[in-house]
Amino acid sequence: MTVTDTPTSRTLEIVHAAQEKLDRLTPQEAAAALDQGVLFIDTRTSEEQAADGVIPGAISVPRNAVEAFLDPTHRPLFTPEEAADLPPVPEPDQQVIVLCNLGLASSLSAASLQRIGLRGATDVEGGFQAWKAAGLPVVDASSS
């Protein structure tokens, strides 16, 4: 048995397995892609966004709705009124960047999006906290 100083859990094992299948982006790479108009999804809670700010150009989608909102095969299940408020449906190879607070839940979201056929889905290493630490653009949530 190998002993390590790094704590692990089944949850972290699942997250790390998801991350191995993603072409994860640094915050700087994600910012460059956002500048090019990529579909950029922020799954942080409204409380997190209110406390820490939001990324200009990011679309807020609750973590529990990412797959349903972006799955092209699920879109017809929404009424036209509901669909009008949803993010655009990406093409299968279109890059979709998902961001959470620390870069763990976003990996699970991106891996799920890949499983439903959105091959261009990925996430940001370190999540919003890494984005903010890199000095990338953040605005007050009330001004977005």
Side-chain angles (χ1 to χ4, degrees), residues 15 19 24 98-108 123-129:
V15 169
Q19 290 172 342
R24 302 184 79 214
V98 184
L99 174 130
C100 67
N101 197 44
L102 297 172
L104 301 174
S106 59
S107 296
L108 298 175
D123 76 328
V124 180
E125 295 172 354
F128 179 83
Q129 294 306 318

Side-chain angles (χ1 to χ4, degrees), residues 10-28:
R10 282 180 233 139
T11 300
L12 288 176
E13 289 171 5
I14 291 169
V15 169
H16 292 150
Q19 290 172 342
E20 288 175 5
K21 296 177 182 169
L22 301 173
D23 184 17
R24 302 184 79 214
L25 302 176
T26 65
Q28 294 81 1

Side-chain angles (χ1 to χ4, degrees), residues 6 10 14 30 49 74 81 84 86 99 101 109 116 128 131 137:
T6 305
R10 282 180 233 139
I14 291 169
Q49 291 176 1
H74 195 82
E81 295 79 20
L86 298 178
L99 174 130
N101 197 44
S109 293
I116 62 174
F128 179 83
W131 177 282

Side-chain angles (χ1 to χ4, degrees), residues 27 30-31 34 40 55 99 124 126-138:
L34 181 57
F40 196 103
I55 297 169
L99 174 130
V124 180
F128 179 83
Q129 294 306 318
W131 177 282
K132 191 172 179 179
L136 294 167
V138 175

Side-chain angles (χ1 to χ4, degrees), residues 71-79:
D71 179 359
T73 67
H74 195 82
R75 188 58 61 100
L77 301 177
F78 290 102
T79 67

